[in-house]
Amino acid sequence: MQPRTPLVLCVLLSQVLLLTSAEDLDCTPGFQQKVFHINQPAEFIEDQSILNLTFSDCKGNDKLRYEVSSPYFKVNSDGGLFALRNITAVGKTLFVHARTPHAEDMAELVIVGGRDIQGSLQVVDSDRPERSKFRLTGKGVDQEPKGIFRINENTGSVSVTRTLDREVIAVYQLFVETTDVNGKTLEGPVPLEVIVIDQNDNRPIFREGPYIGHVMEGSPTGTTVMRMTAFDADDPATDNALLRYNIRQQTPDKPSPNMFYIDPEKGDIVTVVSPALLDRETLENPKYELIIEAQDMAGLDVGLTGTATATIMIDDKNDHSPKFTKKEFQATVEEGAVGVIVNLTVEDKDDPTTGAWRAAYTIINGNPGQSFEIHTNPQTNEGMLSVVKPLDYEISAFHTLLIKVENEDPLVPDVSYGPSSTATVHITVLDVNEGPVFYPDPMMVTRQENISVGSVLLTVNATDPDSLQHQTIRYSVYKDPAGWLNINPINGTVDTTAVLDRESPFVDNSVYTALFLAIDSGNPPATGTGTLLITLEDVNDNAPFIYPTVAEVCDDAKNLSVVILGASDKDLHPNTDPFKFEIHKQAVPDKVWKISKINNTHALVSLLQNLNKANYNLPIMVTDSGKPPMTNITDLRVQVCSCRNSKVDCNAAGALHFSLPSLLLLSLFSLACL
């Protein structure tokens, strides 16, 4: 068999046309004829008129623009359709879109004799065996998306079954082979690359919005504000995706309708007016909205367009200093009062939302005692002048402050603070009847508790701050929790009306607190309060006491310890421990009970022998260390219980066993009751 020559591939591709829908806007008039029929010539000749289209928007066709669905044709402003180059095949249909600011419409051009959008290519093998067949494989045939291409197994003609979209798949890699009647491969596979030729069927899209830019007022001409870039899904290697930018509309259009310029290739928006016109304080609105248009086909009339809105904010800079609305302010305040006394008002032309407008106030003179402070009201920008230390009319009835106002942000270099950025505040202090003042306060004395009733503790002293008024002062008791004190209403002498007791519940940590009033003769009278702290020295006037007073012990206990006793005393050292513990020997036998000292505050009570089951009263005598000492005798009740089989029974302890003296005292008490 002779070697077979390689397959010769000829590709005849048809074009895919974009059908653009028309949208009726305000004016129903449009093309006077909607459908045109054109016989397919052997060739459309470049710049040769094909037909004339008539479009009207009923308002003069101002800014009329045409768009053709094929990039190889154009429509002149007078409606003439021309080819941009010699073309042999264009498909079966063309669409022409006309648009003005007031109307738009679509016309359909039917190419009579034009070939269908389904293209074909012919695979030819000049030395193919008889009865052999062509087979086509690859993505778009037997791989997803399946069924787009098919081949005539006898002739090798490859056809397209449906419209191709380059933006979905730009290149199909197919493979052609020849097979015998049994499907066995004879030749191939040979690669067949199908390239989808781009058509301008995608408008530019601005995908990164919203577009917001900022430029400082007074910026020099040519300052870049922001960049606007659009995306076109068409082939970037063709003019179908070559974009040009322009500004279609500016709102507002003052002080100039052309405040900004956009670089047609880069999309950079820059200022084009002088810095003087870019003054935020003189602008009608510091916010501009620009309608930015991107057009493909390098900006040719046949190009498709997309628009987006760019919002440009003219930012404020601190080019205006704050100014007081007047040079002098007046205020009055009662002596002794605190709080805001006057609001200082200012004017500032800068942006109220920025530090270029917000005011900062400073007292620069007249406040040596720091009695005044000034703060900014964040809502109104006013300076709130306050008294923070009460003023004294008798010291000064008038105050004069010099106050300066500045902005939070520094001024721009060519602006300075002028004389109107300072103001004077005249403050008048009003005299009020002030209450008398005790000196010292608190007043403190130290006395022993239990001093005799009527003892003089001290003489209080209160003075009237209203030195310019001649007033008298009277005294009275305000709070005396235990009712121990009296005060002379004229001279303020304080003496006792009862015995002072350091151990009283009204005494806290040996200190008794009382309050006194001093009342002047003003109209209305004013009152002052003074505190007296009496420190009470301890006297040994409390006998100690023991705890506990009840104990249990088993009648057969091997350990004869009964209980550990503790003692306590309300007095202070040295009138408390060490305590002396004793058994009152006149009341009990010596050979039964024993008490032993453990430490200064505790002792152990124990038995010298086992006792019968019964209840016993044991008199315990405890003495403190005071001089002279105090003694207390307390009966300790001891229950001797039966303890058998881990059970303790104290209920049947029997009759109470009394000591002999106790029994005699009980008998005498019974006789006395007869």
Side-chain angles (χ1 to χ4, degrees):
M1 180 180 295
Q2 296 294 328
R4 302 191 184 278
T5 60
L7 295 176
V8 180
L9 307 179
C10 297
V11 180
L12 301 175
L13 299 178
S14 66
Q15 300 177 8
V16 181
L17 304 180
L18 173 67
L19 307 181
T20 305
S21 299
E23 296 181 1
D24 291 335
L25 297 180
D26 297 334
C27 184
T28 53
F31 283 104
Q32 302 305 304
Q33 182 177 343
K34 302 289 188 180
V35 180
F36 298 84
H37 291 81
I38 304 172
N39 291 320
Q40 170 75 58
E43 186 176 36
F44 288 98
I45 305 302
E46 180 180 356
D47 291 333
Q48 179 178 322
S49 177
I50 300 171
L51 57 81
N52 287 320
L53 303 169
T54 304
F55 175 88
S56 174
D57 67 352
C58 306
K59 294 188 177 180
N61 284 356
D62 183 38
K63 299 180 180 180
L64 173 60
R65 302 177 64 185
Y66 292 99
E67 296 177 359
V68 185
S69 60
S70 171
Y72 307 114
F73 293 87
K74 72 173 182 179
V75 177
N76 289 339
S77 58
D78 60 358
L81 176 65
F82 294 88
L84 296 174
R85 67 177 186 178
N86 295 340
I87 305 171
T88 58
V90 297
K92 287 190 174 183
T93 309
L94 289 178
F95 293 90
V96 177
H97 183 208
R99 180 175 62 187
T100 73
H102 308 289
E104 61 179 304
D105 198 5
M106 184 80 72
E108 180 181 3
L109 311 181
V110 179
I111 311 300
V112 179
R115 283 177 289 184
D116 190 70
I117 61 172
Q118 295 186 356
S120 65
L121 54 86
Q122 187 75 27
V123 179
V124 180
D125 187 347
S126 59
D127 193 15
R128 183 165 61 93
E130 293 184 4
R131 300 183 64 190
S132 63
K133 298 180 182 297
F134 289 99
R135 182 164 61 193
L136 185 67
T137 59
K139 185 176 182 180
V141 182
D142 55 351
Q143 300 175 23
E144 293 295 342
K146 296 180 179 180
I148 294 179
F149 301 97
R150 64 188 176 189
I151 190 169
N152 187 306
E153 62 182 14
N154 296 316
T155 65
S157 175
V158 179
S159 60
V160 182
T161 64
R162 56 180 180 266
T163 302
L164 303 180
D165 189 346
R166 190 204 66 84
E167 285 70 48
V168 177
I169 300 177
V171 178
Y172 293 87
Q173 190 67 48
L174 307 180
F175 297 91
V176 180
E177 57 186 345
T178 57
T179 67
D180 61 18
V181 293
N182 296 319
K184 181 180 179 180
T185 301
L186 299 177
E187 284 188 298
V190 176
L192 171 62
E193 186 177 75
V194 180
I195 300 173
V196 182
I197 299 174
D198 186 41
Q199 290 198 56
N200 192 20
D201 57 349
N202 289 278
R203 292 181 179 275
I205 299 174
F206 291 89
R207 301 192 299 186
E208 300 176 359
Y211 297 91
I212 301 176
H214 294 264
V215 62
M216 189 70 69
E217 64 171 327
S219 295
T221 303
T223 299
T224 300
V225 181
M226 61 192 299
R227 172 169 287 187
M228 296 279 289
T229 55
F231 169 78
D232 194 311
D234 290 318
D235 187 354
T238 68
D239 287 352
N240 295 340
L242 184 59
L243 304 183
R244 294 293 182 264
Y245 301 93
N246 70 88
I247 299 175
R248 289 186 53 186
Q249 182 179 328
Q250 170 191 301
T251 305
D253 59 359
K254 301 291 191 305
S256 169
N258 298 304
M259 299 285 289
F260 306 94
Y261 165 79
I262 188 168
D263 186 302
E265 296 183 4
K266 297 180 180 179
D268 290 336
I269 299 176
V270 299
T271 62
V272 293
V273 295
S274 67
L277 289 181
L278 208 61
D279 185 355
R280 194 198 66 85
E281 286 74 36
T282 61
L283 294 176
E284 177 183 332
N285 188 342
K287 180 174 76 172
Y288 286 87
E289 289 191 349
L290 308 180
I291 304 300
I292 305 299
E293 180 183 70
Q295 187 171 32
D296 59 22
M297 298 300 293
L300 294 177
D301 290 344
V302 296
L304 303 179
T305 62
T307 61
T309 300
T311 301
I312 299 178
M313 308 297 299
I314 310 302
D315 292 338
D316 187 38
K317 65 180 180 181
N318 197 10
D319 55 354
H320 294 86
S321 62
K323 298 178 181 180
F324 283 103
T325 56
K326 51 186 178 180
K327 292 298 295 179
E328 295 185 347
F329 294 84
Q330 305 291 331
T332 58
V333 59
E334 291 184 349
E335 65 172 329
V338 295
V340 177
I341 59 174
V342 66
N343 290 319
L344 310 182
T345 53
V346 295
E347 293 177 344
D348 196 318
K349 295 180 180 179
D350 291 313
D351 185 355
T353 63
T354 67
W357 177 82
R358 290 189 293 269
Y361 297 86
T362 307
I363 302 174
I364 59 177
N365 195 16
N367 190 28
Q370 305 302 309
S371 298
F372 302 92
E373 287 184 359
I374 188 166
H375 300 281
T376 304
N377 185 318
Q379 280 73 42
T380 64
N381 218 29
E382 295 177 341
M384 301 182 295
L385 181 63
S386 303
V387 176
V388 293
K389 293 182 180 179
L391 304 176
D392 192 339
Y393 172 84
E394 284 70 32
I395 296 177
S396 178
F398 300 97
H399 297 267
T400 300
L401 305 180
L402 183 61
I403 297 178
K404 176 180 66 175
V405 62
E406 299 174 306
N407 287 131
E408 289 183 3
D409 292 349
L411 293 172
V412 296
D414 54 341
V415 177
S416 61
Y417 292 104
S420 57
S421 294
T422 59
T424 302
V425 182
H426 300 285
I427 302 165
T428 301
V429 183
L430 304 178
D431 188 24
V432 297
N433 187 24
E434 301 172 83
V437 178
F438 284 87
Y439 181 82
D441 189 28
M443 302 160 281
M444 293 181 287
V445 296
T446 301
R447 296 289 187 274
Q448 278 193 344
E449 64 174 332
N450 300 335
I451 60 175
S452 59
V453 176
S455 299
V456 175
L457 299 179
L458 81 163
T459 298
V460 301
N461 179 37
T463 58
D464 193 339
D466 299 303
S467 57
L468 301 181
Q469 304 178 28
H470 300 288
Q471 299 182 135
T472 59
I473 296 176
R474 294 182 63 84
Y475 300 95
S476 64
V477 177
Y478 179 44
K479 286 186 178 180
D480 179 17
W484 291 343
L485 306 176
N486 175 65
I487 189 169
N488 187 301
I490 304 300
N491 61 23
T493 299
V494 179
D495 56 13
T496 63
T497 61
V499 175
L500 307 183
D501 183 7
R502 192 198 67 83
E503 290 76 35
S504 167
F506 299 106
V507 176
D508 182 18
N509 198 25
S510 299
V511 177
Y512 180 71
T513 302
L515 301 179
F516 297 95
L517 297 179
I519 307 170
D520 66 20
S521 58
N523 186 21
T527 301
T529 304
T531 302
L532 172 62
L533 303 177
I534 306 172
T535 301
L536 296 175
E537 296 178 340
D538 187 41
V539 174
N540 194 19
D541 56 351
N542 290 277
F545 58 90
I546 65 167
Y547 58 89
T549 58
V550 177
E552 294 179 356
V553 65
C554 293
D555 57 0
D556 60 350
K558 294 180 180 180
N559 182 0
L560 298 180
S561 297
V562 177
V563 68
I564 294 177
L565 296 179
S568 183
D569 195 319
K570 294 182 179 180
D571 293 316
L572 301 176
H573 284 287
N575 297 321
T576 57
D577 61 271
F579 298 114
K580 180 181 179 182
F581 296 89
E582 299 176 280
I583 297 175
H584 194 29
K585 294 183 179 181
Q586 297 178 355
V588 297
D590 291 340
K591 296 182 179 180
V592 177
W593 304 94
K594 178 183 178 181
I595 191 165
S596 305
K597 178 179 178 181
I598 297 177
N599 54 32
N600 289 343
T601 57
H602 290 78
L604 173 65
V605 176
S606 57
L607 288 168
L608 298 177
Q609 63 185 36
N610 289 113
L611 295 178
N612 294 328
K613 181 178 178 181
N615 292 334
Y616 298 86
N617 279 339
L618 180 64
I620 302 297
M621 182 169 62
V622 59
T623 304
D624 64 23
S625 297
K627 295 181 180 180
M630 295 196 72
T631 299
N632 182 27
I633 299 175
T634 303
D635 281 343
L636 172 65
R637 184 184 181 189
V638 180
Q639 294 178 301
V640 179
C641 305
S642 173
C643 304
R644 302 290 185 273
N645 299 324
S646 301
K647 294 183 179 180
V648 178
D649 182 11
C650 298
N651 293 329
L656 182 65
H657 285 215
F658 293 94
S659 60
L660 181 59
S662 300
L663 187 58
L664 291 175
L665 288 173
L666 182 60
S667 300
L668 290 174
F669 179 77
S670 300
L671 291 173
C673 295
L674 293 176

